[in-house]
Amino acid sequence: MRYHNITKDDMLNGDGLRVVLWVAGCEHKCPGCHNPVTWDIEGGLEFDDAAKKEIFDELGKNYISGITISGGDPLHTRSRADTGALVEEIARTFPNKTIWLYTGYEWQEIKDLPFMKYVDVLVDGEFVEKFKDNTIPWRGSSNQKVIDVKKSLEIGKTVLSVK
């Protein structure tokens, strides 16, 4: 897996104060995307032990609510396994931190991924420029959904987050 940046003390990409991992690679390439520099799967830096330590050090701070994994698309077919392993390790190491994940894939396409049970909130769907809306929280266009993953998996139907 490759990444472009690790943002610290972020308040824009999920609930509370967060660390954000910006993963490289996106197969969707949505017109009007706010982050096209992250589309190239070969772009950015290799996600190595130093990058992981940086994230874990941030998550160890009591005022950090959790991590948001965005991109690009962290569920790019070439990054999916690494993203899943990272999500699972974070969930096991920091059980009181929340995990948010942004993807261009729809919930129905990815809900059965084994690591999805560790994700708290999923923002799904491609960015659609004609539905761009700067007034809605946590998403760029109104077609995207903010999903409470744990409740959705528990009851077997999509539950939108009220956050």
Side-chain angles (χ1 to χ4, degrees):
M1 175 170 68
R2 299 184 69 78
Y3 76 104
H4 279 272
N5 194 19
I6 296 170
T7 307
K8 299 170 185 165
D9 300 337
D10 182 280
M11 294 173 30
L12 302 174
N13 294 284
D15 203 15
L17 206 54
R18 313 186 68 73
V19 58
V20 182
L21 173 63
W22 302 93
V23 178
C26 184
E27 296 165 304
H28 307 288
K29 298 180 170 68
C30 304
C33 171
H34 78 284
N35 213 0
V37 69
T38 63
W39 290 357
D40 182 3
I41 191 70
E42 302 296 334
L45 307 164
E46 185 65 33
F47 188 79
D48 58 11
D49 289 339
K52 185 167 133 180
K53 182 182 181 325
E54 185 177 346
I55 287 171
F56 278 56
D57 286 350
E58 287 301 304
L59 288 170
K61 297 175 180 175
N62 63 357
Y63 61 86
I64 296 295
S65 300
I67 185 167
T68 298
I69 305 174
S70 191
D73 193 329
L75 299 185
H76 185 289
T77 52
R78 286 181 43 198
S79 301
R80 192 171 287 187
D82 291 332
T83 296
L86 180 63
V87 163
E88 187 170 346
E89 186 175 357
I90 289 169
R92 291 185 190 283
T93 306
F94 301 99
N96 296 322
K97 305 288 180 166
T98 58
I99 299 173
W100 284 51
L101 193 141
Y102 280 76
T103 183
Y105 292 97
E106 297 286 332
W107 169 243
Q108 292 302 318
E109 297 175 90
I110 58 167
K111 66 183 176 68
D112 295 324
L113 292 172
F115 61 87
M116 203 52 63
K117 65 185 175 189
Y118 299 107
V119 174
D120 295 286
V121 176
L122 177 81
V123 180
D124 85 336
E126 294 185 9
F127 171 78
V128 178
E129 199 164 20
K130 72 179 179 180
F131 297 130
K132 181 177 181 176
D133 186 343
N134 293 331
T135 66
I136 52 177
W138 318 128
R139 52 203 170 124
S141 57
S142 61
N143 63 293
Q144 296 171 309
K145 296 180 297 300
V146 181
I147 298 168
D148 183 321
V149 173
K150 295 187 175 175
K151 284 184 184 171
S152 296
L153 291 174
E154 181 182 325
I155 68 168
K157 70 180 222 178
T158 306
V159 177
L160 299 181
S161 176
V162 294
K163 296 177 180 173

